[in-house]
Amino acid sequence: MRVAVIGAGVIGLSTAQSIYEHYHSIVSPLTIEVYADKFTPLTTSDGAAGFWQPYLYDKGNVQETKWNKETFDYLLSFLKSPESIKMGIFLESGYNLCSEPAPDPSFKDSVLGFRQLTERELQIFPGYKYGWFNTALMVEGKTYLPWLMEWLRKRGVKFYHRKIKSFKELAETGADVIINCSGMWSGQLQPDPDLKPGRGQILKVDAPWLKHWIITHDFTKGTYNSPYIIPGSRLVTVGGVFQVGNWSEQNSSVDHKEIWEKACQLEPSLKHARIVDDWSGLRPVRSKVRLEREAIWSGETPIEVIHNYGHGGFGLTIHRGCAEEAARLFGQIVEQKGKGPKARL
Amino acid sequence: MMKSVRVVVVGAGVIGFSTAVCISEALPFCAVTLMADKFSPDTTSDGAAGILFAAQFPDIPLQRQRRWFKDSFDHLLAIAQSQCAPEAGVMLSSGWQIFKEIPAVETPFWSEFVIGFRPMTDVELKRFPDHKFGQAFTTLKCECSTYLLWLEKRFRKAGGQVEQRKVNSLQELSNSFDIIVNCSGLGSKILVGDTQVYPVRGQVLKVEAPWVQHFIRDGDGKTYIYPGIRSVTIGGTRQEGDWRLQVDGGDTKGILERCSRLEPSLNKAKILSEWVGLRPSRKNPRVEREVVQLQGRPVPVVHNYGHGGWGVTLAWGTALDTLGLVKQSLHEMASQAKL
C-alpha cells in the first residue's frame, strides 16, 4: 500500500510514525511518503513554544482531553532515557494565573503534582487572585521534528518538497490512502469554513534565570490573548496574542510592544533581558479537531482520505493521541481493502 | 556626616559581605571596612550552588533558627521578584527532595518558609524507583559569584571600604578599629583559635544541561542536581575533616553516576568545570558577641561563622542577628564612655 501524508509539521510526521509503527509488519509492502512545502525549522510547529498544555476547558470535547493525556503519558515515558534530550522533551513546572476563581482545568489529572496556588505564590503575581501550579512537559518543535524526520528516514519514509494542490493529484500518482495533515492550509485542499487562523506572535528572549512557565488567563479576552512566559531549553518564549481571522505572518510592532510591556509587568526581571527574535504563526483554529475518514469521489473509485487537522494552539499537546487515532482509522481502511493479516490466508 | 565608630568585617564570602551590607546600611555613623585575604571568585561561597534550605542545629533555640531562615528567604525572594534579580544572581527554583527511606521528620521546620511545600505524589515518585518518599517545593537559588559582586556594589554605595589583606590575629586590627566582626569561616580555627571548626569537603561539577529546570536532592545531602542561571551544579561529597582542595577523579565519577541515575538526561551533558570547597562546619554556627582584651583594651568582637553547608541559606538572617549584636556592643560602648 502507498500512503501519502500531506504536511510535515508535528501532526504529519507523528501520524506517519504511528502508521508505520502499527502497520509496517502487517501491510507489505507499506510505502509512506510525506509531501510538504515547508519542513522543519519553518513549520508552525517549529515556532511554537513547545509547551504541553491544552486550553483550560475542553467544552465537552472529552475525546480531545483523552488524546492530550495520551500524548502527555507518551512523552513522559521517554524521560527515563537520555534519548529524551534528542527529542527535545523535558519537565518544566509553572503557574497558571487567573484574575478570579475558576473551575479546575481539563488537564488537572494529566499533569504532575497539580495543586491550587498558595497565598504566598499569589503575592508574587500582583493582580492575579487565583491559579494553579503543576509540573508539565516541554516538547520543543525545533528538536522534536528533526528527531521525527530522522526516525522516519531510517525506516524508509521518503520526503518530497512539493506543494500539493489537490487530493486528486496524489491519487493519480497511485496513492492508496492520503493523510491530510496540512494544518492551516487545509482549506486550499478542501474548503472548510470552520477552519480559521488564530494568529500568534512571540518574542524569544535570553533570560536563563527563569525556570518556570507563567501563563495568564483573561476570560474576557480569550485564550492566549494575555501574557505568557515559557522558558525553553535555550531561550524564553514570551507572548501572547490570539487574533482569529488574521492571516498575517508578518511581525507587528504594535503586538511586539504590547506583548513586551505586559510580560515585564508580569515578570519584572525581564526588564534586563535581551530580546533575540520575533516570530508570528497561524494556529489552525477549528471548533474541534477534524480527525475522520472521508471517501472523496473522483471518477469511479473513491479516494481514501484521513483528515487530521485543526489543532489550534495545542498541536504539540495532542499530536500523539491524534496520530494513534489516525492510525486506527488507517487500520479500518486496511481491513476494508483486504490488505490486512486475513488476506494472507 | 562624620563617621565616629570604626568597624571591620573580616571575610569576603557571603557571610562577610551580607554582614557588612547590613551594618553599613543600618548604621550610617559607622565607618565599615571589609577586609579579607580572598575575594570572589576565590571564596568558598563562589562554588556553592546556593540553594536555600536548612538543616537543624542541635543547640540553637528553634525560634532563632526559624527567624534566620525566614529572614534570609524573604530577603532573597524580594530580590528574585524585582528587576535586580539577574544582576544579583537570584532566581526561584522548584524541585524535589527525595528519600530512600521515610525520614524521621517528614515536615521540617523550614517547610513553612519555602513556597508550596507538600509531599510528592505517587506518580511523581515513580520517576525515582530507589526512593520511597519525597517533598516538592519551590525555593530560591542565590549564585554567589554574581551575588557577592552585587553585594559589594551595595556595600560601597553605603560608604563601605574594601581592603585586600590577610588578617593573622585580632591584635593587628585593634589599633585601627573599635569593633571587630569576625566572618572568617574556616579561618576562625586559626584566627580565634576555635577548635570546634572543621572542614567538610565538597566537590561539585558544573555541567551544561539547559533543559534541566528542577532541582533534585537526595535527603542524605550527598547527591544533588541544582540548575542555575548558566549551568547546572551537580554533586556532591561530604568528607568530614578532609582539607584537600584538589579535584578528586573518583569523586567526579561517583557524582556523575549518582546524578545520572536520578536524571538520565545528564548522561549527555557536557562538563564545564569541577570545583572543591571546604564547608566551614561547626556543631552550631557561632553568632554571638564577646569582649576581648587586645593590646590592653577591651574590644567588642562579634562572631558570625561556622555555617557549614548552609551559608547562603542563613547569610542574611545571621547578618541581621550580627547587626543586632553590633548595636548592643555600641550601646555598651556608649554607656561605658559616659562613666
Side-chain angles (χ1 to χ4, degrees):
Chain A
M1 270 180 93
R2 258 188 70 207
V3 180
V5 178
I6 307 175
V10 69
I11 301 300
L13 298 180
S14 61
T15 305
Q17 181 185 43
S18 287
I19 289 176
Y20 180 92
E21 277 175 342
H22 289 283
Y23 293 100
H24 80 276
S25 55
I26 293 176
V27 177
S28 193
L30 179 66
T31 309
I32 303 178
E33 295 158 349
V34 176
Y35 294 83
D37 61 350
K38 290 196 190 130
F39 285 86
T40 178
L42 301 173
T43 71
T44 308
S45 309
D46 289 289
F51 172 52
W52 186 101
Q53 184 168 290
Y55 298 168
L56 288 185
Y57 308 109
D58 62 24
K59 298 184 180 158
N61 276 330
V62 290
Q63 188 64 261
E64 287 180 7
T65 296
K66 184 170 150 274
W67 289 333
N68 288 327
K69 181 178 192 333
E70 197 181 326
T71 306
F72 189 91
D73 292 341
Y74 169 73
L75 295 172
L76 190 69
S77 70
F78 286 100
L79 287 183
K80 49 173 96 78
S81 140
E83 192 71 4
S84 59
I85 296 317
K86 293 213 190 109
M87 298 171 75
I89 302 171
F90 53 95
L91 287 173
E92 191 168 304
S93 295
Y95 309 88
N96 274 296
L97 303 171
C98 306
S99 46
E100 66 210 31
D104 284 350
S106 64
F107 51 81
K108 64 181 274 221
D109 296 322
S110 305
V111 295
L112 301 173
F114 179 89
R115 62 170 173 81
Q116 312 294 316
L117 287 179
T118 63
E119 271 309 309
R120 213 117 156 267
E121 287 169 314
L122 289 169
Q123 279 164 23
I124 298 177
F125 303 107
Y128 296 94
K129 302 210 178 74
Y130 194 77
W132 310 286
F133 185 94
N134 63 259
T135 301
L137 286 164
M138 294 288 291
V139 52
E140 297 186 315
K142 287 205 170 90
T143 306
Y144 192 54
L145 263 56
W147 182 86
L148 275 171
M149 286 195 58
E150 190 48 38
W151 191 98
L152 292 168
R153 227 180 245 125
K154 266 201 220 148
R155 289 157 179 82
V157 173
K158 297 275 184 289
F159 298 93
Y160 299 94
H161 197 149
R162 211 170 100 196
K163 190 173 174 74
I164 301 301
K165 306 239 168 66
S166 67
F167 297 127
K168 189 153 170 253
E169 179 190 329
L170 280 176
E172 277 168 0
T173 66
D176 296 297
V177 183
I178 298 171
I179 324 280
N180 175 22
C181 305
S182 51
M184 192 67 257
W185 295 276
S186 288
Q188 291 175 4
L189 289 167
Q190 186 187 87
D192 182 348
D194 196 7
L195 179 68
K196 303 178 174 110
R199 181 182 175 280
Q201 183 168 324
I202 50 158
L203 280 57
K204 291 281 199 195
V205 171
D206 183 29
W209 57 88
L210 296 176
K211 308 288 183 189
H212 299 87
W213 39 265
I214 309 169
I215 319 282
T216 66
H217 301 274
D218 183 334
F219 299 114
T220 62
K221 295 209 175 122
T223 311
Y224 302 143
N225 258 325
S226 53
Y228 59 77
I229 295 167
I230 305 173
S233 61
R234 302 262 165 214
L235 295 171
V236 178
T237 300
V238 177
V241 291
F242 195 117
Q243 299 152 349
V244 180
N246 187 347
W247 281 93
S248 171
E249 289 178 86
Q250 304 299 321
N251 293 317
S252 146
S253 302
V254 171
D255 288 339
H256 175 114
K257 188 161 177 286
E258 184 164 337
I259 290 167
W260 185 242
E261 278 171 10
K262 292 222 175 103
C264 289
Q265 269 172 31
L266 178 62
E267 177 56 62
S269 73
L270 276 178
K271 198 80 199 292
H272 299 289
R274 191 171 55 101
I275 301 175
V276 170
D277 206 1
D278 271 67
W279 181 83
S280 300
L282 307 177
R283 301 174 183 89
V285 172
R286 205 172 180 276
S287 59
K288 62 189 233 281
V289 172
R290 188 176 185 199
L291 181 39
E292 60 188 9
R293 280 175 61 185
E294 186 183 9
I296 296 175
W297 287 92
S298 167
E300 291 190 356
T301 42
I303 306 172
E304 287 287 356
V305 178
I306 297 174
H307 296 286
N308 188 4
Y309 70 86
H311 306 81
F314 50 91
L316 286 157
T317 298
I318 203 174
H319 78 273
R320 177 70 179 185
C322 288
E324 290 288 281
E325 173 66 15
R328 205 183 57 79
L329 293 174
F330 177 78
Q332 285 176 1
I333 299 173
V334 166
E335 286 276 320
Q336 282 167 15
K337 287 195 185 233
K339 303 265 186 171
K342 292 180 199 151
R344 296 204 185 106
L345 291 170
Chain B
M1 185 189 293
M2 258 275 280
K3 301 227 177 222
S4 54
V5 180
R6 304 160 304 163
V7 178
V8 64
V9 175
V10 180
V14 69
I15 302 300
F17 262 113
S18 300
T19 307
V21 166
C22 276
I23 297 172
S24 58
E25 287 184 352
L27 307 173
F29 56 87
C30 286
V32 187
T33 301
L34 186 144
M35 196 177 288
D37 176 30
K38 297 237 172 73
F39 283 81
S40 179
D42 302 314
T43 71
T44 308
S45 307
D46 282 283
I51 289 272
L52 262 68
F53 49 54
Q56 195 165 324
F57 301 107
D59 307 312
I60 301 193
L62 191 58
Q63 202 41 37
R64 196 176 182 201
Q65 296 189 55
R66 288 163 62 89
R67 202 180 64 238
W68 282 350
F69 189 91
K70 185 180 191 308
D71 285 347
S72 301
F73 195 92
D74 290 349
H75 159 83
L76 290 173
L77 181 61
I79 295 173
Q81 292 173 236
S82 76
Q83 289 182 27
C84 298
E87 199 201 330
V90 182
M91 51 174 255
L92 282 170
S93 181
S94 293
W96 309 281
Q97 177 165 234
I98 53 183
F99 300 83
K100 292 201 169 101
E101 294 301 328
I102 304 202
V105 181
E106 291 186 18
T107 311
F109 79 86
W110 46 266
S111 59
E112 66 176 276
F113 302 125
V114 294
I115 298 171
F117 184 96
R118 60 169 175 86
M120 282 167 76
T121 63
D122 288 334
V123 178
E124 288 175 309
L125 274 167
K126 273 212 190 104
R127 282 178 56 227
F128 308 109
D130 297 335
H131 295 76
K132 296 201 180 107
F133 177 81
Q135 301 152 337
F137 54 94
T138 301
T139 182
L140 292 157
K141 188 178 198 285
C142 173
E143 301 192 342
C144 286
S145 51
T146 309
Y147 186 60
L148 292 179
L149 297 176
W150 185 79
L151 280 180
E152 185 175 336
K153 259 170 94 169
R154 244 176 102 162
F155 178 58
R156 288 179 189 276
K157 195 157 170 227
Q161 302 285 316
V162 175
E163 195 180 318
Q164 196 274 326
R165 190 173 114 195
K166 185 168 171 67
V167 177
N168 294 305
S169 68
L170 296 182
Q171 244 91 310
E172 64 190 70
L173 297 171
S174 56
N175 276 337
S176 327
F177 300 99
D178 305 307
I179 300 182
I180 300 172
V181 181
N182 172 27
C183 303
S184 60
L186 206 48
S188 291
K189 196 173 169 68
I190 304 210
L191 187 62
V192 299
D194 185 342
T195 53
Q196 288 185 55
V197 174
Y198 61 97
V200 174
R201 181 181 178 281
Q203 183 166 318
V204 294
L205 310 180
K206 277 212 170 115
V207 304
E208 190 182 305
W211 56 84
V212 176
Q213 312 285 21
H214 298 89
F215 69 80
I216 305 173
R217 179 186 199 260
D218 190 307
D220 70 10
K222 292 187 184 146
T223 304
Y224 48 79
I225 297 163
Y226 295 138
I229 295 176
R230 300 237 177 238
S231 62
V232 179
T233 300
I234 65 173
T237 65
R238 280 185 186 274
Q239 296 138 329
E240 299 200 354
D242 191 338
W243 288 89
R244 290 175 303 144
L245 279 168
Q246 316 89 295
V247 168
D248 181 315
D251 286 340
T252 296
K253 197 158 165 284
I255 289 166
L256 282 168
E257 252 164 42
R258 284 179 277 123
C259 290
S260 297
R261 263 185 85 80
L262 295 184
E263 179 53 69
S265 69
L266 286 176
N267 262 313
K268 301 277 172 188
K270 179 169 148 213
I271 300 176
L272 298 170
S273 62
E274 292 159 294
W275 183 86
V276 176
L278 306 178
R279 300 173 183 84
S281 306
R282 202 173 181 273
K283 195 168 171 219
N284 303 282
R286 187 179 183 198
V287 187
E288 62 187 15
R289 71 184 184 109
E290 60 173 347
V291 176
V292 183
Q293 287 290 338
L294 296 168
Q295 313 230 21
R297 270 181 42 232
V299 180
V301 177
V302 182
H303 299 286
N304 188 9
Y305 67 87
H307 302 71
W310 319 108
V312 176
T313 298
L314 301 174
W316 197 256
T318 50
L320 287 173
D321 252 19
T322 304
L323 169 63
L325 295 172
V326 168
K327 283 181 180 167
Q328 280 179 30
S329 303
L330 287 168
H331 196 75
E332 237 172 51
M333 280 162 69
S335 14
Q336 278 168 9
K338 287 182 185 127
L339 294 169

